[in-house]
Amino acid sequence: MKRSLPYKMKTLVPAWAFRAGQVLSLPLLLLSFSANAMIPTELNLNINQVHESNSIGTVIGIFSADADAGVCTYSLVSGQGSEDNSAFIVAGNTLKAAMVFDYETKDRYAIRVRVTNELGEFLEKTFTIEVIDVYEITNSIEATNLVTPNGDGKNDTWIVRNLPPHGNNEVKIIDRSGRVVYYKRNYQNDWNGRTSNGDLLAEGVYLYVIDFGAGLNPFKGTITLVRDRH
């Protein structure tokens, strides 16, 4: 059961104000607190992954506590599981990178975080931050530039070779007017000249954009759609 903080307002009277069992007339100092605030019982981080080759200051995730805890602050603290705290920064409720990560050097980091409510009650929790291997695409991605979906087994679908194995990609096919006619996350080499809704597209030249995220430059090119080629 959650325990509510026991008071809302406190009246402070300095000792010198008392004389002969009476209290002199003077302004009272009132300190108010959140009556409904409770001791934090939950501490969450919405994302615990960061891509390697990041920039310093890259936002990794957002901390949150249970709503009943009221207004809270977040900080990195020492203790068990805090050995990698120095690799990160907490700004407000945001976890940021304080270094450039390299997957091949280290792929997991441990941090210890404290959430504190208005009256100093706190909860601590450890988190593991995973470094995601950024697939080197500069010289490895190869995409065909012709699709002839006539069922002869040749160029029936658009093939992109050497896509990252973790599937972190977004593919867009764009027509001459700039409309996105096809969109797919984790592309599976299955575009056959149709829209995302399955409608046939007209023959012609289309632009493709492959976005790998993680701040990497997208891979772009053109593809020609021909329906009667044998």
Side-chain angles (χ1 to χ4, degrees):
M1 178 180 295
K2 294 182 178 179
R3 181 166 63 87
S4 296
L5 296 174
Y7 43 82
K8 180 178 182 181
M9 184 170 289
K10 210 171 197 179
T11 302
L12 300 182
V13 181
W16 54 263
F18 289 88
R19 186 176 65 186
Q22 297 181 344
V23 179
L24 300 179
S25 176
L26 77 167
L28 299 180
L29 176 62
L30 301 179
L31 299 180
S32 61
F33 303 93
S34 297
N36 296 324
M38 294 186 177
I39 299 172
T41 59
E42 297 178 12
L43 175 54
N44 303 304
L45 178 62
N46 66 337
I47 298 174
N48 69 334
Q49 297 179 333
V50 58
H51 288 87
E52 67 172 343
S53 303
N54 59 289
S55 300
I56 293 177
T58 294
V59 173
I60 298 171
I62 304 297
F63 292 109
S64 63
D66 44 314
D68 293 337
V71 178
C72 293
T73 58
Y74 303 86
S75 58
L76 294 165
V77 292
S78 59
Q80 184 177 2
S82 67
E83 52 265 32
D84 298 316
N85 279 9
S86 61
F88 302 89
I89 301 168
V90 173
N93 65 342
T94 303
L95 180 67
K96 298 182 179 182
M99 62 173 287
V100 178
F101 297 102
D102 177 55
Y103 176 85
E104 285 70 28
T105 300
K106 186 173 182 176
D107 64 353
R108 290 175 181 269
Y109 289 76
I111 61 173
R112 187 179 184 92
V113 180
R114 174 182 293 180
V115 55
T116 307
N117 67 13
E118 295 172 278
L119 290 180
E121 300 285 354
F122 64 86
L123 171 71
E124 294 182 3
K125 185 176 179 180
T126 58
F127 295 90
T128 298
I129 309 301
E130 299 179 4
V131 178
I132 302 301
D133 189 14
V134 173
Y135 195 78
E136 302 298 338
I137 67 170
T138 305
N139 298 313
S140 59
I141 296 295
E142 298 178 359
T144 58
N145 59 7
L146 178 67
V147 172
T148 59
N150 56 14
D152 66 354
K154 298 179 181 180
N155 298 317
D156 284 331
T157 61
W158 180 51
I159 304 299
V160 182
R161 298 182 179 89
N162 303 320
L163 282 170
H166 53 66
N168 185 28
N169 65 74
E170 296 182 357
V171 167
K172 296 178 183 178
I173 306 292
I174 304 169
D175 66 13
R176 288 179 178 272
S177 66
R179 297 179 304 166
V180 177
V181 294
Y182 177 83
Y183 172 84
K184 182 73 173 291
R185 290 182 63 90
N186 188 16
Y187 183 64
Q188 299 295 319
N189 288 330
D190 52 1
W191 184 65
N192 60 356
R194 294 176 179 267
T195 68
S196 297
N197 296 325
D199 298 326
L200 290 175
L201 287 168
E203 292 185 336
V205 177
Y206 294 83
L207 171 69
Y208 65 79
V209 179
I210 307 175
D211 188 352
F212 296 94
L216 297 175
N217 291 328
F219 189 79
K220 301 179 181 180
T222 59
I223 183 170
T224 301
L225 173 62
V226 180
R227 295 199 172 279
D228 58 356
R229 185 175 179 124
H230 295 282

